[in-house]
Amino acid sequence: MSASVAMTEGPLPALRGRVQAGAALGPATWFRVGGAADWLVRPADVDDLLRLLRRATLPITVIGAASNLIVRDDGVRGIVLRLARGFGDVEVEGDGVVAGAAALDAVVAEHAAAASLSGLEFLSGIPGSIGGAVAMNAGAYGAEVAGVLDWAEIATVDGLLRVRAADLRLSYRRSQLPPGGVVVRARFHAVPGDAGAIAARMVEIRESREATQPVRARTGGSTFANPPGHKAWALIDAAGCRGRVLGGAQVSEKHCNFLLNTGDATAADLEDLGEAVRAAVLAHSGVSLDWEIRRIGERA
């Protein structure tokens, strides 16, 4: 059972945001699996976050929209940090958009479209929030964050830093954040465009996702990163894993780089099925797949 508590100095500093002990994390994830956090903290604002980073004595694990995340069944020790209210503002400028880390990618795309700004349509096809998109250089439909990011503001124990995109050394599904850094805001450049063409592109992306991905299932987005020169789904399909089942977990028949919770999966079912797929692909093609889904916490 979780409980909201007013924190005094101790394992956590006194904060103005929401602090919960023993908070269930599974219901907040797209897979709907996983255990509890020792502490779930949602800071009120940047100052609250900086206080936490400077004074907490427990390890901190950052999560975002939990769209690409497996929380293991025995939960997460220490502090789970999730940015929510106070970090979701979206501001449209003449040649770009500034968005808080908790703003959903699709919402940022919609704000840009409403202002007839082009170049951010691809964000409408990425489930998740801006903080995670920057941290993993998210991409889809021929574009990625590295191509549109100007800067990110990152909270660290040394204060709030504004880091240029070039200094984050963005690469395929990776960035190099300062140690212990938490993305709180980012700016993306865009260019004036035709409102009709922008809207049509976003409809095209939405329809493509609906047609090719199990978007209405309990899933977690792309399971594995595409290896150089390969598509992960094609390697999985060639290894005979489409539709493969383990416990309550299944490899999607519709898009076999997606894992599904068919109703009663545990986090262990999902992770073990993913590892079985990796082993099958390695045996069949000699290619080692890297997880794109984050896995946090302890196995039961």
Side-chain angles (χ1 to χ4, degrees), residues 105 109 118-127 133-134 136-149 170-174 188-190 201-202 204-205 213 222 226 231 292:
D105 302 332
S118 179
L120 302 183
E121 295 91 333
F122 75 99
L123 289 172
S124 68
I126 301 176
V134 172
M136 70 174 294
N137 186 25
Y141 302 96
E144 61 183 7
V145 165
V148 294
L149 182 67
L170 300 169
S171 59
Y172 180 64
R173 302 301 174 261
R174 284 182 171 82
F188 305 93
H189 58 260
R201 177 58 177 156
M202 290 174 63
E204 180 183 18
I205 288 171
Q213 300 177 12
S222 295
N226 290 324
K231 294 291 187 183
E292 188 168 319

Side-chain angles (χ1 to χ4, degrees), residues 61 77 108:
T61 301
R77 304 289 72 81
V108 173

Side-chain angles (χ1 to χ4, degrees), residues 276-290:
V277 168
R278 291 184 70 238
V281 168
L282 183 61
H284 181 267
S285 65
V287 177
S288 180
L289 294 177
D290 291 329

Side-chain angles (χ1 to χ4, degrees), residues 9 19 45-46 68 73 111 117 132 155 169 226 258 266 299:
E9 297 295 334
V19 176
D45 51 28
V46 171
N68 202 230
D73 297 306
H111 274 77
L117 288 174
R169 299 184 182 179
N226 290 324
F258 284 68
T266 63
R299 287 189 65 125

Side-chain angles (χ1 to χ4, degrees), residues 231-243:
K231 294 291 187 183
W233 75 264
L235 293 169
I236 295 166
D237 205 14
C241 294
R242 184 182 293 269

Side-chain angles (χ1 to χ4, degrees), residues 30 64-65 88 90 99-111 123 126-130:
W30 285 34
V90 179
L104 295 178
D105 302 332
V107 170
V108 173
E110 289 163 3
H111 274 77
L123 289 172
I126 301 176
S129 56
I130 288 300

Side-chain angles (χ1 to χ4, degrees), residues 149-154 161-168 176 178:
L149 182 67
D150 288 329
W151 48 256
E153 287 182 348
I154 301 171
L161 308 177
R162 180 172 290 188
V163 182
R164 298 179 307 156
D167 294 328
L168 291 174
Q176 294 188 21

